[in-house]
Amino acid sequence: MALQIVFFSIFFFVSFTIAQGVRTLNVRNYGAIVDGRTDDKKAFLRAWNDACYQNGGSIVYIPKGVYMVGSVEFAGPCRGPIMFLISGDLKAPIGPYSNVENWIGFQHVNNLIVKGGGTLDGQGPSAWPYNKCQKTNNCDPLPISIKFDFVTNSRIESIRSVNSKNVHLAIYGCNNVNVSKVDLLAPADSPNTDGIKISRSADIRITNSRIRTGDDCIAIISGSSNIDVSYVYCGPGHGISIGSLGKYKNEENVNGVTVRKCTLNGTDNGVRIKSWESPYAITASKFLFQDIFMENVRNPIIVDQTYCPHSPCNQETASYVQIQDVTYRNIWGTSSSQVAVSFECSKKFPCKNIVMTDVNLAIVGGEGPLQSSCSYVKGRSFGRQNPPPCF
Ligand SMILES: *[C@@H]1O[C@H](CO)[C@@H](O)[C@H](O)[C@H]1NC(C)=O
Ligand SMILES: *[C@@H]1O[C@H](CO)[C@@H](O)[C@H](O)[C@H]1NC(C)=O
């Protein structure tokens, strides 16, 4: 594994700097029409298929210009590493397209780099009015803008996503994927536009990114482990969330999440852990939230194990998700509500080993002193604490 990474780095250094043995496949040479109206999906796919067939590694190159691209899956496994270089701007088709899961998908690829500074415009305003998922559980979700399924040892960097119809970037079944310098943008009131959604994945790092959107900036759900989030700016949005968890059968544990050096500004939540009152038992453990600045955040620190965005949804009287070993360290800034710290844990599986060190928040607008609220939680606190802790 380590050797493979070393080899891979040397390969990219040598080949992509002096371009030896690497083929560049320009989508224009595959018939892409750069008018922002003609569907270029077939040209992109032909370039991808040639790249995927190269042993020596290749670059799929999308030069500057505006391209309309229908829903497309770039599938592996491929013979060599691929760089998908998006210098141009891609536009999704107008409308909901709820018959497809993703707009741009990459699946079963190893050693992929997606970069280039281009913008992916999901044309969300033409789709959001068709979103029924906010009101009912029986709905067809709109397409995700960029989806990685079973992608390994890969990176996505310097990409902009605007107005995704649904989630901007989703990572599923992946291993060792680094996300950096992504800029994700959608209006505060756009429905279900999570920034980055991670599930069933391990060793995922998100850094130096800015997320301004209508739903969670980052959502880390079932089966995620060893996730590292750092230097992320979030807001507007619903904050950085672990969960929601425990809604479905066959969910897997979430273990090992670090969120550090992040800024949350004007968000509904700061750092949140949420689970449903359903009978599916999993563990959510080993989380560290450190060096986080909050500005005007409604619920800066929140654990909500009675999560239910639209009732009725309770199948049980308590959540079966066990939350444990969670540390909050050096969190400061302002709260827009009085209850700045809230632990509403499960009465069946109370939160345990929660550690708070140096949490220093103040209220915006001066509505009086801040409070903590605690139910079914065991923890300890150290250092400075405002609001005063309830354990
Ligand atoms: C991702 O970043 C980590 C830490 O910097 C590094 O060890 C790893 O090799 C990177 N992975 C890829 C695929 O670039
Ligand atoms: C938070 O957002 C407000 C309003 O957009 C802006 O004026 C302020 O500079 C932001 N704060 C930070 C830390 O970015």
Side-chain angles (χ1 to χ4, degrees), residues 233 263 265-266 293 295:
Y233 176 96
T263 295
N265 189 357
F293 175 63
E295 181 170 330

Side-chain angles (χ1 to χ4, degrees), residues 5 153-155 176 178 205:
I5 291 170
N153 307 311
S154 295
R155 306 203 298 259
N176 187 23
N178 293 351
R205 298 164 202 89

Side-chain angles (χ1 to χ4, degrees), residues 3 28 42 48 139 185 218 250 256 263 281-282 361-362 384:
L3 194 65
R28 291 201 190 184
K42 286 197 172 126
W48 172 267
C139 62
L185 178 67
I218 298 176
N250 304 326
T263 295
I282 57 166
L361 297 161
R384 186 164 180 176

Side-chain angles (χ1 to χ4, degrees), residues 10 20 58 89 95 126 130 165 189 192 296 299 309 317 325 328:
I10 293 169
Q20 204 171 51
S58 39
D89 297 328
S126 66
Y130 299 90
K165 295 188 206 291
D189 61 357
N192 298 114
N296 188 27
N299 307 302
T317 54
D325 310 324
Y328 299 88

Side-chain angles (χ1 to χ4, degrees), residues 220-223 242-248 251-254 273-278 280 282-284 287 307 319 321 323:
I220 297 163
I221 60 177
S222 168
I242 296 174
S244 59
L245 301 175
K247 182 182 182 184
Y248 304 103
E251 278 192 36
E252 291 171 10
N253 296 341
V254 177
I273 306 173
K274 54 178 168 172
S275 74
W276 298 70
E277 294 185 315
S278 298
Y280 308 120
I282 57 166
T283 303
F287 304 147
Y307 183 67
S319 175
V321 175
I323 296 173

